Amino acid sequence: QVHLVESGGGSVQSGGSLRLSCAASGNSNSIYSWGWFRQAPGKEREGVAAIDHFDSTMYADSVKGRFTISRDAAKNVLYLQMNSLKPEDTAIYYCAAKNSFGITRLDQLYNYWGQGTQVTVSL
């Protein structure tokens, strides 16, 4: 079992930056890849970014060039650096992890989920 805890959310003005963190505990050595997802009110959950065991990454088109996913393998911590934030980035952000091979932004393929952290971007 893997336990994930996000931190770093908050409120920021448009154009600002935030860095989210996700700490893993438990059987974290079993994780092959990680992802960041978000869900805005009234919308479906969206895969924002993902990173695998080899540090390959993928991003949603809406965040390319603004968000960066990274990880500290030694500390079992996942990060999401978010720059040039826009009001449409407002959502609850979740980190997720999976044991299976492959990198993906499909949420149904992830085994483990954090509780989420709120990000609010105002004009």
Side-chain angles (χ1 to χ4, degrees):
Q1 190 70 16
V2 175
H3 186 55
L4 303 175
V5 179
E6 302 99 334
S7 60
S11 297
V12 66
Q13 288 190 323
S14 182
S17 298
L18 284 173
R19 188 176 81 156
L20 305 182
S21 300
C22 174
S25 60
N27 191 21
S28 54
N29 288 335
S30 68
I31 296 173
Y32 181 85
S33 59
W34 308 67
W36 283 103
F37 294 80
R38 67 185 180 186
Q39 189 165 22
K43 294 189 176 181
E44 292 188 354
R45 188 161 55 191
E46 172 191 21
V48 174
I51 186 167
D52 72 6
H53 188 72
F54 300 102
D55 288 329
S56 296
T57 58
M58 63 187 327
Y59 296 92
D61 288 344
S62 58
V63 306
K64 278 181 183 175
R66 300 188 298 122
F67 290 11
T68 303
I69 189 171
S70 63
R71 67 188 185 104
D72 184 328
K75 296 180 179 179
N76 289 316
V77 179
L78 178 72
Y79 301 102
L80 185 68
Q81 178 66 44
M82 305 185 294
N83 298 329
S84 302
L85 282 161
K86 305 175 182 180
E88 52 263 45
D89 294 318
T90 295
I92 298 174
Y93 283 71
Y94 299 90
C95 91
K98 65 181 185 70
N99 307 120
S100 60
F101 178 81
I103 183 173
T104 180
R105 291 186 295 113
L106 294 176
D107 57 357
Q108 58 264 41
L109 297 181
Y110 283 79
N111 309 89
Y112 309 106
W113 291 85
Q115 81 288 350
T117 186
Q118 177 71 46
V119 171
T120 303
V121 184
S122 58
L123 288 170

